[in-house]
C-alpha cells in the first residue's frame, strides 16, 4: 500500500514538473538531451519530465537599444551621436535568433558604429544636423539587411541627439548671435531711413502749407487794404493820404500789440511821440514825389507818340 502511494506521489511530481507556462509575446525553446526539440507559444505547456528542458525564452516584443557613437566630421569636429534602434525577433525565425547570436546587442552596436563612422565623416557639422534623417535611414537600411540572417527585424533607427564639443557649441552660438545682431542692425537702419524720409516729407508738406497760408494771408491783407483805400476815397481822401493813414494805423496797432505782451523784448526805434508825425510826413512826401514822377513820364510818352 505504501509502495502505491509512493508511485502515485512520484507520478504527480513528474507530471507537475512537466507543466510550465509561457508569457504572452514570449516563445519558449525546448531542448531534449541538449538538442533543439521545439518552440512553445504562450499559455500552459507540457514537456517530458527529465527529458525535455526549457533552454530559454525569447521575447517577441519590440526592444530598443541606445548607442552613443563618437566620430569626426568632414571639417574635423568631434561629435557624439546618440542612436536609438528599435528591433524585434521575427516569430518564424526564433531558432536563428536564439542559436546564431551569442549577444545580439553587441552585434547591433557594432553595425551602428560601422555605419555612422562611414556616413558622418563625409559631412560638415552643419550637414550632420540637417541630414540626421539620412544618417538614420542609412543605419536602418544596412542594419536591417545584416540582421535578417539572424532572425531580427529592424523597425526604426533614430538619431536622437547630436552633441559636439563644448567649445564648438559656444562658437556656433556666437556665430548665430552675430548673425541675428547683423539682421537686427539692418532692420533698425531701414526703420531709421524710413523715419527720416517720412519726416522730410512731413516737413516739406508743412512748409508748403505754411507758404500757402502766408500767401493767402498777404492776399487777404492786400484785399483789405484795397477796400480801405476805396472807402477813404469815397470820404474825399486821395490815394496817397489814404495809404499813409493806413500805414500809420497799422503802426499804432503794432505798438498796441507789443504793449499787450508784458514779456516782449521788442524795441521800435525811433519811438518818440513825434515819430508817427514824421513818418506820416515822410510817406506823404514820398508818395507825392512818386506821383509827380509818374505824371512826368506819362506826359513824355504822350508827346513822343504825337510826334
Amino acid at each position: 500500500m505504501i509502495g502505491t502511494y509512493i508511485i502515485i506521489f512520484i507520478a504527480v511530481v513528474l507530471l507537475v514538473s512537466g507543466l510550465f507556462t509561457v508569457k504572452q509575446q514570449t516563445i519558449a525553446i525546448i531542448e531534449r538531451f541538449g538538442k533543439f526539440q521545439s518552440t512553445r507559444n504562450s499559455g500552459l505547456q507540457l514537456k517530458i519530465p527529465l527529458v525535455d528542458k526549457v533552454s530559454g525564452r525569447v521575447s517577441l516584443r519590440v526592444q530598443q537599444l541606445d548607442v552613443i557613437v563618437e566620430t569626426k566630421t568632414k571639417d574635423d569636429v568631434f561629435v557624439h551621436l546618440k542612436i536609438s534602434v528599435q528591433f524585434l525577433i521575427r516569430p518564424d525565425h526564433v531558432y536563428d535568433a536564439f542559436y546564431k547570436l551569442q549577444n545580439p546587442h553587441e552585434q547591433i552596436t557594432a553595425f551602428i558604429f560601422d555605419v555612422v563612422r562611414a556616413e558622418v565623416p563625409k559631412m560638415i557639422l552643419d550637414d550632420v544636423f540637417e541630414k540626421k534623417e539620412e544618417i538614420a535611414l542609412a543605419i536602418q537600411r544596412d542594419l536591417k539587411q545584416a540582421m535578417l540572417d539572424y532572425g531580427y527585424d529592424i523597425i526604426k533607427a533614430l538619431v536622437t541627439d547630436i552633441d559636439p564639443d563644448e567649445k564648438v557649441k559656444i562658437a556656433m552660438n556666437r556665430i548665430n548671435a552675430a548673425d541675428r545682431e547683423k539682421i537686427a542692425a539692418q532692420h533698425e537702419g531701414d526703420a531709421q531711413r524710413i523715419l527720416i524720409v517720412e519726416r522730410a516729407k512731413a516737413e516739406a508738406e508743412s512748409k508748403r502749407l505754411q507758404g500757402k497760408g502766408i500767401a493767402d494771408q498777404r492776399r487777404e491783407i492786400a484785399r483789405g487794404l484795397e477796400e480801405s483805400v476805396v472807402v477813404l476815397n469815397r470820404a474825399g481822401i486821395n490815394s496817397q493820404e489814404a495809404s499813409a493813414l493806413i500805414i500809420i494805423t497799422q503802426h499804432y496797432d503794432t505798438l498796441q500789440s507789443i504793449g499787450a505782451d508784458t514779456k516782449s523784448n521788442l524795441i521800435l526805434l525811433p519811438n518818440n511821440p513825434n515819430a508817427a508825425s514824421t513818418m506820416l510826413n515822410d510817406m506823404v512826401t514820398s508818395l507825392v514825389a512818386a506821383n509827380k514822377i509818374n505824371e512826368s513820364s506819362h506826359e513824355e510818352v504822350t508827346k513822343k507818340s504825337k510826334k
Side-chain angles (χ1 to χ4, degrees), residues 234-247:
R234 291 175 183 173
I237 300 174
N238 59 32
S239 298
Q240 290 82 2
E241 293 173 345
S243 298
L245 180 60
I246 291 172
I247 292 174

Side-chain angles (χ1 to χ4, degrees), residues 221-283:
I221 291 173
R223 186 177 296 122
L225 292 175
E226 182 182 2
E227 292 176 356
S228 298
V229 170
V230 172
V231 172
L232 292 174
N233 288 336
R234 291 175 183 173
I237 300 174
N238 59 32
S239 298
Q240 290 82 2
E241 293 173 345
S243 298
L245 180 60
I246 291 172
I247 292 174
I248 292 299
T249 303
Q250 289 181 342
H251 174 72
Y252 281 108
D253 289 339
T254 302
L255 292 177
Q256 182 180 2
S257 176
I258 294 171
D261 188 359
T262 58
K263 296 181 181 181
S264 176
N265 295 323
L266 180 64
I267 298 175
L268 293 179
L269 295 175
N271 195 23
N272 52 59
N274 297 325
S277 300
T278 303
M279 184 185 298
L280 179 59
N281 293 331
D282 292 342
M283 292 180 64

